[in-house]
Amino acid sequence: MLDEPHDPAVTVVKVHPDREIATTQRLPYFVGISAVTAGAKGLSMYLVIVPPGGHAEPHVHCGYETGIYVLEGRVETRFGPGLRQSVVTEAGDFLFIPPGVPHQPFNLSDTTPARAIVARNLPDEHEQVQPYDPSGEG
């Protein structure tokens, strides 16, 4: 059963990202699916690369869920109040980040980039994150 009637004017869209975008997290992002690239209404997908020894800035996602699938590398994600909790993901692992959970990923390798596919239930091409200061959580 289809959720919506098929509109013949709507079609499948292929996207091949050819440039990275600047992000608040200071990591290379390559936009795949978004409202701008594919006309998405409730989803965005990106390729993110965490350089060797690199990390994102501590942050919180504002009002949307995030799913991550690690393609290559090992990443430690510190999360929660004061970023005192931690989980390590590696190639083949999925990670779910609910809205409002502070977190910060770190590439555990000093020689190899970590690569992951990121999906959000937000079609905006630009991330909507709020910086997070872990020192404020005693």
Side-chain angles (χ1 to χ4, degrees):
M1 175 184 280
L2 298 175
D3 290 339
E4 298 177 19
H6 177 66
D7 178 350
V10 177
T11 186
V12 172
V13 177
K14 174 185 171 182
V15 178
H16 185 87
D18 58 357
R19 63 177 174 80
E20 69 182 66
I21 62 168
T23 67
T24 306
Q25 298 174 48
R26 299 188 181 147
L27 293 177
Y29 266 58
F30 296 83
V31 178
I33 307 300
S34 72
V36 172
T37 64
K41 299 200 181 340
L43 170 75
S44 60
M45 290 181 73
Y46 308 80
L47 169 66
V48 63
I49 300 171
V50 185
H55 60 82
E57 297 299 314
H59 64 281
V60 175
H61 298 167
C62 304
Y64 58 88
E65 298 175 325
T66 301
I68 300 169
Y69 179 74
V70 181
L71 298 168
E72 299 175 329
R74 293 182 72 234
V75 176
E76 176 188 14
T77 301
R78 298 175 191 165
F79 65 95
L83 303 178
R84 290 187 292 271
Q85 295 175 282
S86 172
V87 61
V88 174
T89 53
E90 53 191 290
D93 289 340
F94 287 90
L95 184 65
F96 173 70
I97 302 174
V101 174
H103 60 284
Q104 181 180 25
F106 292 82
N107 183 344
L108 294 176
S109 173
D110 289 329
T111 59
T112 306
R115 299 177 197 277
I117 298 295
V118 177
R120 300 179 174 139
N121 63 332
L122 178 77
D124 195 339
E125 185 166 308
H126 299 285
E127 62 187 352
Q128 294 181 21
V129 300
Q130 177 179 348
Y132 175 74
D133 180 3
S135 66
E137 303 269 348

